[in-house]
Coordinates of all heavy atoms in Angstrom, one line a residue:
V58 N -4.5 7.6 4.2 CA -4.9 8.4 3.1 C -6.1 9.3 3.5 O -7.1 8.8 3.9 CB -5.3 7.6 1.9 CG1 -5.8 8.5 0.7 CG2 -4.1 6.8 1.4
D59 N -5.9 10.6 3.4 CA -7.1 11.5 3.6 C -7.9 11.6 2.3 O -7.7 12.4 1.5 CB -6.5 12.9 4.0 CG -7.6 13.9 4.3 OD1 -8.8 13.6 4.0 OD2 -7.3 15.0 4.8
W60 N -8.8 10.6 2.2 CA -9.5 10.4 0.9 C -10.4 11.7 0.6 O -10.5 12.1 -0.6 CB -10.3 9.2 0.9 CG -11.0 9.0 -0.4 CD1 -12.3 9.0 -0.6 CD2 -10.4 8.6 -1.6 NE1 -12.6 8.8 -1.9 CE2 -11.4 8.5 -2.6 CE3 -9.1 8.3 -2.0 CZ2 -11.2 8.2 -3.9 CZ3 -8.8 8.0 -3.3 CH2 -9.9 7.9 -4.3
A61 N -10.9 12.3 1.6 CA -11.8 13.4 1.4 C -11.1 14.6 0.7 O -11.7 15.3 -0.1 CB -12.4 13.9 2.7
T62 N -9.8 14.7 1.0 CA -9.0 15.8 0.3 C -8.4 15.3 -1.0 O -8.4 16.0 -2.0 CB -7.9 16.2 1.3 OG1 -8.5 16.8 2.5 CG2 -7.0 17.3 0.6
L63 N -7.8 14.1 -0.9 CA -6.9 13.7 -2.0 C -7.8 13.3 -3.3 O -7.3 13.5 -4.4 CB -6.1 12.4 -1.6 CG -5.0 12.0 -2.6 CD1 -3.9 13.1 -2.7 CD2 -4.3 10.7 -2.1
E64 N -8.9 12.8 -3.1 CA -9.7 12.3 -4.3 C -9.9 13.4 -5.3 O -9.9 13.1 -6.5 CB -11.1 11.8 -3.8 CG -11.9 11.1 -4.9 CD -12.8 12.1 -5.7 OE1 -13.0 13.2 -5.2 OE2 -13.2 11.7 -6.8
A65 N -10.1 14.6 -4.9 CA -10.4 15.7 -5.8 C -9.2 16.0 -6.7 O -9.4 16.4 -7.8 CB -10.8 17.0 -5.0
Y66 N -8.0 15.7 -6.3 CA -6.8 15.9 -7.1 C -6.4 14.8 -8.0 O -5.7 14.9 -9.0 CB -5.7 16.3 -6.2 CG -5.8 17.6 -5.5 CD1 -6.4 17.7 -4.2 CD2 -5.5 18.8 -6.2 CE1 -6.5 19.0 -3.6 CE2 -5.6 20.1 -5.6 CZ -6.2 20.1 -4.3 OH -6.3 21.3 -3.7
V67 N -6.8 13.5 -7.6 CA -6.3 12.4 -8.3 C -7.2 11.8 -9.3 O -6.9 10.9 -10.1 CB -5.8 11.2 -7.3 CG1 -4.8 11.7 -6.4 CG2 -7.0 10.7 -6.6
R68 N -8.5 12.2 -9.3 CA -9.5 11.5 -10.2 C -9.0 11.7 -11.7 O -9.0 10.7 -12.4 CB -10.9 12.2 -10.1 CG -11.9 11.7 -11.1 CD -13.2 12.3 -10.9 NE -13.9 11.7 -9.7 CZ -14.5 10.6 -9.8 NH1 -14.5 9.8 -10.9 NH2 -15.1 10.1 -8.7
D69 N -8.7 12.9 -12.1 CA -8.3 13.0 -13.5 C -7.0 12.2 -13.9 O -6.9 11.6 -14.9 CB -8.0 14.5 -13.8 CG -9.3 15.3 -13.9 OD1 -10.3 14.8 -13.9 OD2 -9.1 16.6 -13.8
D70 N -6.1 12.1 -13.0 CA -4.9 11.4 -13.2 C -5.2 9.9 -13.3 O -4.6 9.1 -14.1 CB -3.9 11.6 -12.1 CG -3.2 12.9 -12.2 OD1 -3.2 13.5 -13.3 OD2 -2.6 13.4 -11.2
L71 N -6.1 9.4 -12.5 CA -6.5 8.0 -12.5 C -7.1 7.6 -13.9 O -6.9 6.6 -14.4 CB -7.5 7.7 -11.4 CG -7.0 7.8 -10.0 CD1 -8.1 7.5 -9.0 CD2 -5.8 6.8 -9.7
E72 N -7.9 8.6 -14.4 CA -8.6 8.3 -15.7 C -7.7 8.4 -16.9 O -8.0 7.8 -17.9 CB -9.8 9.3 -15.8 CG -10.9 9.1 -14.8 CD -11.9 10.2 -14.9 OE1 -11.7 11.2 -15.6 OE2 -13.0 10.1 -14.2
T73 N -6.5 9.1 -16.7 CA -5.7 9.3 -17.9 C -4.3 8.7 -17.6 O -3.3 8.9 -18.4 CB -5.5 10.8 -18.2 OG1 -4.9 11.4 -17.0 CG2 -6.8 11.4 -18.5
A74 N -4.2 7.8 -16.6 CA -2.9 7.2 -16.3 C -2.3 6.4 -17.4 O -3.0 5.7 -18.1 CB -3.0 6.3 -15.0
D75 N -1.0 6.6 -17.6 CA -0.3 5.8 -18.6 C 0.6 4.8 -18.0 O 1.5 5.1 -17.3 CB 0.6 6.8 -19.4 CG 1.4 6.0 -20.5 OD1 1.3 4.8 -20.7 OD2 2.2 6.7 -21.2
P76 N 0.2 3.5 -18.1 CA 1.0 2.4 -17.4 C 2.4 2.3 -17.9 O 3.2 1.7 -17.2 CB 0.1 1.2 -17.7 CG -0.6 1.5 -18.9 CD -0.9 2.9 -18.9
D77 N 2.7 2.8 -19.0 CA 4.0 2.7 -19.6 C 4.9 3.9 -19.3 O 6.1 4.0 -19.7 CB 4.0 2.5 -21.1 CG 3.3 1.3 -21.5 OD1 3.5 0.2 -20.8 OD2 2.5 1.3 -22.5
E78 N 4.4 4.9 -18.5 CA 5.2 6.1 -18.2 C 6.3 5.7 -17.3 O 6.2 5.0 -16.3 CB 4.2 7.1 -17.5 CG 4.9 8.4 -17.3 CD 3.9 9.5 -16.8 OE1 2.8 9.1 -16.2 OE2 4.2 10.6 -16.9
T79 N 7.5 6.2 -17.7 CA 8.7 5.9 -16.9 C 8.8 6.9 -15.7 O 8.6 8.1 -15.9 CB 9.9 6.1 -17.8 OG1 9.9 5.2 -18.9 CG2 11.2 5.9 -17.1
V80 N 9.2 6.3 -14.6 CA 9.3 7.1 -13.4 C 10.8 7.4 -13.2 O 11.6 6.5 -13.1 CB 8.7 6.4 -12.2 CG1 9.0 7.2 -10.9 CG2 7.3 6.1 -12.4
P81 N 11.2 8.7 -13.0 CA 12.6 9.0 -12.8 C 13.1 8.3 -11.6 O 12.5 8.1 -10.6 CB 12.6 10.5 -12.6 CG 11.3 11.0 -13.3 CD 10.3 9.9 -13.1
A82 N 14.4 7.8 -11.7 CA 15.0 7.1 -10.6 C 15.1 7.9 -9.3 O 15.2 7.3 -8.2 CB 16.4 6.6 -11.0
A83 N 15.2 9.2 -9.5 CA 15.3 10.1 -8.3 C 14.1 9.9 -7.4 O 14.3 10.0 -6.2 CB 15.5 11.5 -8.7
Y84 N 13.0 9.7 -7.9 CA 11.8 9.6 -7.1 C 11.8 8.2 -6.4 O 11.4 8.1 -5.2 CB 10.5 9.7 -7.9 CG 10.3 11.0 -8.5 CD1 9.6 11.2 -9.7 CD2 10.9 12.2 -8.0 CE1 9.4 12.4 -10.3 CE2 10.8 13.4 -8.6 CZ 10.0 13.5 -9.7 OH 9.9 14.8 -10.3
E85 N 12.3 7.2 -7.1 CA 12.3 5.8 -6.5 C 13.3 5.8 -5.4 O 13.1 5.0 -4.4 CB 12.8 4.8 -7.6 CG 11.8 4.7 -8.8 CD 10.6 3.8 -8.4 OE1 10.6 3.3 -7.3 OE2 9.8 3.6 -9.3
A86 N 14.3 6.6 -5.4 CA 15.4 6.6 -4.4 C 15.1 7.5 -3.2 O 15.9 7.5 -2.3 CB 16.7 6.8 -5.0
D87 N 14.1 8.4 -3.3 CA 13.9 9.4 -2.3 C 12.9 8.8 -1.2 O 11.8 8.5 -1.5 CB 13.2 10.6 -3.0 CG 13.2 11.8 -2.0 OD1 13.3 11.6 -0.8 OD2 13.1 13.0 -2.6
P88 N 13.4 8.7 0.1 CA 12.6 8.2 1.1 C 11.5 9.1 1.6 O 10.6 8.7 2.3 CB 13.6 8.0 2.3 CG 14.7 8.8 2.0 CD 14.8 8.9 0.5
M89 N 11.4 10.3 1.0 CA 10.3 11.2 1.2 C 9.2 11.0 0.2 O 8.1 11.5 0.4 CB 10.7 12.7 1.2 CG 11.5 13.0 2.4 SD 11.9 14.8 2.5 CE 10.3 15.6 2.8
I90 N 9.5 10.2 -0.9 CA 8.5 9.9 -1.9 C 8.1 8.5 -2.0 O 6.9 8.1 -2.0 CB 9.0 10.4 -3.3 CG1 9.1 11.9 -3.4 CG2 8.1 9.9 -4.4 CD1 7.7 12.6 -3.3
A91 N 9.1 7.6 -2.2 CA 8.8 6.2 -2.5 C 7.9 5.5 -1.4 O 6.8 4.9 -1.8 CB 10.1 5.4 -2.6
P92 N 8.2 5.5 -0.1 CA 7.3 4.9 0.9 C 5.9 5.5 0.9 O 4.9 4.8 1.1 CB 8.0 5.1 2.2 CG 9.5 5.4 1.8 CD 9.4 6.1 0.5
V93 N 5.8 6.8 0.7 CA 4.5 7.4 0.8 C 3.6 7.0 -0.4 O 2.4 6.7 -0.2 CB 4.7 9.0 0.9 CG1 3.3 9.6 0.9 CG2 5.5 9.4 2.0
S94 N 4.2 7.0 -1.6 CA 3.4 6.7 -2.7 C 3.0 5.2 -2.7 O 1.9 4.8 -3.1 CB 4.0 7.1 -4.0 OG 5.4 6.6 -4.1
E95 N 3.9 4.3 -2.3 CA 3.6 2.9 -2.2 C 2.5 2.7 -1.1 O 1.6 1.9 -1.3 CB 4.9 2.1 -1.8 CG 5.8 2.1 -3.0 CD 7.2 1.6 -2.5 OE1 7.4 1.2 -1.4 OE2 8.1 1.5 -3.4
G96 N 2.6 3.4 0.0 CA 1.5 3.3 1.0 C 0.2 3.7 0.5 O -0.9 3.2 0.8
A97 N 0.2 4.8 -0.3 CA -1.1 5.3 -0.9 C -1.7 4.3 -1.8 O -2.9 4.0 -1.8 CB -0.8 6.6 -1.6
L98 N -0.9 3.7 -2.6 CA -1.4 2.7 -3.6 C -2.0 1.5 -2.9 O -3.1 1.0 -3.2 CB -0.3 2.3 -4.6 CG -0.7 1.2 -5.6 CD1 -1.7 1.7 -6.5 CD2 0.5 0.7 -6.4
S99 N -1.2 0.9 -1.9 CA -1.7 -0.3 -1.3 C -2.9 0.0 -0.5 O -3.8 -0.9 -0.4 CB -0.6 -0.9 -0.4 OG -0.3 0.0 0.7
T100 N -3.0 1.1 0.1 CA -4.2 1.5 0.9 C -5.4 1.7 0.0 O -6.5 1.1 0.3 CB -4.0 2.8 1.7 OG1 -2.8 2.6 2.6 CG2 -5.2 3.2 2.5
Y101 N -5.2 2.4 -1.1 CA -6.3 2.6 -2.0 C -6.8 1.3 -2.7 O -8.0 1.1 -2.7 CB -5.8 3.5 -3.1 CG -6.7 3.8 -4.3 CD1 -7.8 4.7 -4.1 CD2 -6.6 3.2 -5.5 CE1 -8.6 5.0 -5.2 CE2 -7.4 3.5 -6.6 CZ -8.4 4.3 -6.4 OH -9.3 4.6 -7.5
L102 N -5.9 0.4 -3.1 CA -6.3 -0.8 -3.7 C -6.9 -1.8 -2.7 O -7.7 -2.7 -3.1 CB -5.1 -1.4 -4.4 CG -4.6 -0.7 -5.6 CD1 -3.5 -1.4 -6.3 CD2 -5.7 -0.4 -6.7
F103 N -6.6 -1.7 -1.5 CA -7.2 -2.6 -0.5 C -8.7 -2.6 -0.5 O -9.4 -3.6 -0.4 CB -6.7 -2.3 0.9 CG -7.0 -3.3 2.0 CD1 -6.1 -4.2 2.3 CD2 -8.2 -3.2 2.7 CE1 -6.4 -5.2 3.3 CE2 -8.6 -4.1 3.6 CZ -7.6 -5.1 4.0
V104 N -9.3 -1.4 -0.7 CA -10.7 -1.3 -0.7 C -11.3 -2.1 -1.8 O -12.2 -2.9 -1.6 CB -11.2 0.2 -0.9 CG1 -12.7 0.3 -1.0 CG2 -10.6 1.1 0.3
G105 N -10.8 -1.9 -3.1 CA -11.5 -2.6 -4.2 C -11.1 -4.1 -4.3 O -11.9 -5.0 -4.5
L106 N -9.8 -4.4 -4.1 CA -9.3 -5.7 -4.3 C -9.5 -6.7 -3.1 O -9.7 -7.9 -3.3 CB -7.8 -5.7 -4.6 CG -7.5 -4.9 -5.9 CD1 -6.0 -4.9 -6.1 CD2 -8.2 -5.4 -7.1
T107 N -9.5 -6.2 -1.9 CA -9.7 -7.1 -0.7 C -11.1 -7.0 -0.2 O -11.8 -8.0 0.1 CB -8.7 -6.7 0.4 OG1 -7.4 -6.9 -0.1 CG2 -8.9 -7.6 1.6
L108 N -11.7 -5.8 -0.1 CA -13.0 -5.6 0.5 C -14.1 -6.1 -0.5 O -15.3 -6.2 -0.1 CB -13.3 -4.2 0.9 CG -12.4 -3.7 2.1 CD1 -12.9 -2.3 2.6 CD2 -12.2 -4.7 3.2
G109 N -13.7 -6.2 -1.8 CA -14.7 -6.6 -2.8 C -15.3 -8.0 -2.4 O -16.5 -8.3 -2.7
Q110 N -14.5 -8.8 -1.7 CA -15.1 -10.2 -1.4 C -16.2 -10.1 -0.3 O -17.0 -11.1 -0.2 CB -14.0 -11.0 -0.8 CG -13.4 -10.5 0.5 CD -12.2 -11.3 1.0 OE1 -12.3 -12.5 1.1 NE2 -11.1 -10.6 1.2
F111 N -16.3 -8.9 0.3 CA -17.4 -8.7 1.2 C -18.5 -7.8 0.7 O -19.4 -7.3 1.4 CB -16.9 -8.2 2.6 CG -15.8 -9.0 3.1 CD1 -14.5 -8.4 3.2 CD2 -15.9 -10.3 3.6 CE1 -13.4 -9.1 3.7 CE2 -14.9 -11.0 4.1 CZ -13.6 -10.4 4.2
R112 N -18.4 -7.5 -0.6 CA -19.3 -6.6 -1.3 C -19.1 -5.1 -0.8 O -20.0 -4.3 -0.8 CB -20.8 -6.9 -1.1 CG -21.3 -8.2 -1.8 CD -22.8 -8.2 -1.7 NE -23.3 -9.5 -2.2 CZ -23.5 -10.6 -1.4 NH1 -23.1 -10.5 -0.1 NH2 -24.0 -11.7 -1.8
L113 N -17.9 -4.8 -0.3 CA -17.6 -3.5 0.1 C -16.6 -2.8 -0.8 O -16.1 -1.7 -0.4 CB -17.1 -3.5 1.6 CG -18.0 -4.1 2.6 CD1 -17.4 -4.1 4.0 CD2 -19.3 -3.3 2.7
G114 N -16.4 -3.3 -1.9 CA -15.4 -2.7 -2.8 C -15.7 -1.4 -3.4 O -14.9 -0.7 -3.9
G115 N -17.1 -1.1 -3.4 CA -17.5 0.2 -3.9 C -17.6 1.3 -2.9 O -18.3 2.3 -3.1
L116 N -17.0 1.1 -1.7 CA -17.1 2.1 -0.6 C -16.7 3.5 -1.0 O -17.2 4.5 -0.5 CB -16.3 1.7 0.6 CG -17.0 0.9 1.7 CD1 -16.0 0.4 2.7 CD2 -18.1 1.7 2.3
L117 N -15.8 3.6 -2.0 CA -15.3 4.9 -2.4 C -16.1 5.6 -3.5 O -15.9 6.7 -3.8 CB -13.8 4.8 -2.9 CG -12.8 4.3 -1.9 CD1 -11.4 4.3 -2.5 CD2 -12.9 5.1 -0.6
D118 N -17.2 4.9 -3.9 CA -18.1 5.6 -4.8 C -18.9 6.6 -4.1 O -19.2 6.5 -2.9 CB -19.1 4.5 -5.4 CG -18.5 3.6 -6.4 OD1 -17.4 4.0 -6.9 OD2 -19.0 2.5 -6.6
D119 N -19.3 7.7 -4.8 CA -20.0 8.8 -4.1 C -21.4 8.3 -3.6 O -22.2 7.9 -4.3 CB -20.2 9.9 -5.1 CG -20.8 11.1 -4.5 OD1 -20.7 11.2 -3.3 OD2 -21.3 12.0 -5.3
G120 N -21.5 8.3 -2.3 CA -22.8 7.9 -1.6 C -23.0 6.4 -1.6 O -24.1 6.0 -1.3
A121 N -22.0 5.6 -2.0 CA -22.2 4.2 -2.0 C -22.5 3.6 -0.6 O -22.0 4.1 0.4 CB -20.9 3.5 -2.5
L122 N -23.5 2.7 -0.6 CA -23.9 2.1 0.7 C -24.3 3.1 1.7 O -24.2 2.9 2.9 CB -22.7 1.2 1.2 CG -22.1 0.2 0.3 CD1 -21.0 -0.5 1.0 CD2 -23.1 -0.7 -0.2
E123 N -24.9 4.2 1.2 CA -25.4 5.3 2.1 C -24.4 5.8 3.0 O -24.7 6.4 4.1 CB -26.6 4.7 2.9 CG -27.7 4.1 2.1 CD -28.3 5.1 1.1 OE1 -28.4 6.3 1.4 OE2 -28.7 4.7 0.0
S124 N -23.1 5.7 2.6 CA -22.0 6.1 3.4 C -21.1 7.1 2.7 O -21.0 7.1 1.4 CB -21.2 4.9 3.9 OG -22.0 4.0 4.6
S125 N -20.3 7.9 3.4 CA -19.3 8.7 2.7 C -17.9 8.5 3.5 O -17.9 8.5 4.7 CB -19.7 10.2 2.8 OG -19.8 10.7 4.1
V126 N -16.9 8.3 2.7 CA -15.6 8.0 3.3 C -14.8 9.3 3.4 O -14.7 10.1 2.5 CB -14.9 6.9 2.4 CG1 -13.4 6.7 2.9 CG2 -15.6 5.6 2.4
E127 N -14.1 9.4 4.5 CA -13.2 10.5 4.7 C -11.8 10.1 4.9 O -10.9 10.8 4.3 CB -13.7 11.3 6.0 CG -15.1 11.9 5.8 CD -15.7 12.4 7.1 OE1 -15.0 12.3 8.2 OE2 -16.9 12.8 7.1
G128 N -11.5 9.0 5.6 CA -10.1 8.6 5.8 C -9.9 7.1 5.6 O -10.9 6.3 5.9
L129 N -8.8 6.7 5.1 CA -8.4 5.3 5.0 C -7.1 5.1 5.7 O -6.1 5.7 5.5 CB -8.2 4.9 3.5 CG -9.4 5.2 2.6 CD1 -9.0 4.9 1.1 CD2 -10.6 4.3 2.9
L130 N -7.1 4.1 6.7 CA -5.9 3.8 7.5 C -5.6 2.3 7.5 O -6.5 1.5 7.8 CB -6.2 4.3 9.0 CG -5.1 3.9 10.0 CD1 -3.8 4.6 9.7 CD2 -5.6 4.1 11.4
R131 N -4.4 2.0 7.1 CA -4.0 0.6 7.1 C -2.8 0.4 8.0 O -1.9 1.1 8.0 CB -3.6 0.1 5.7 CG -3.5 -1.4 5.6 CD -3.1 -1.8 4.2 NE -3.1 -3.3 4.1 CZ -2.6 -4.0 3.1 NH1 -2.1 -3.3 2.0 NH2 -2.6 -5.3 3.1

Side-chain angles (χ1 to χ4, degrees):
V58 174
D59 182 348
W60 183 251
T62 298
L63 193 62
E64 187 275 339
Y66 289 96
V67 301
R68 173 179 287 279
D69 290 344
D70 284 343
L71 294 176
E72 294 174 351
T73 61
D75 179 2
D77 297 323
E78 188 170 21
T79 300
V80 177
Y84 299 153
E85 296 283 358
D87 191 338
M89 289 185 69
I90 290 294
V93 179
S94 52
E95 289 169 2
L98 178 64
S99 66
T100 301
Y101 175 79
L102 291 182
F103 189 94
V104 177
L106 300 181
T107 300
L108 298 190
Q110 64 186 304
F111 309 114
R112 293 193 188 83
L113 298 178
L116 269 172
L117 299 183
D118 288 339
D119 188 17
L122 307 181
E123 305 300 324
S124 303
S125 62
V126 174
E127 296 167 3
L129 305 171
L130 173 67
R131 190 179 184 191

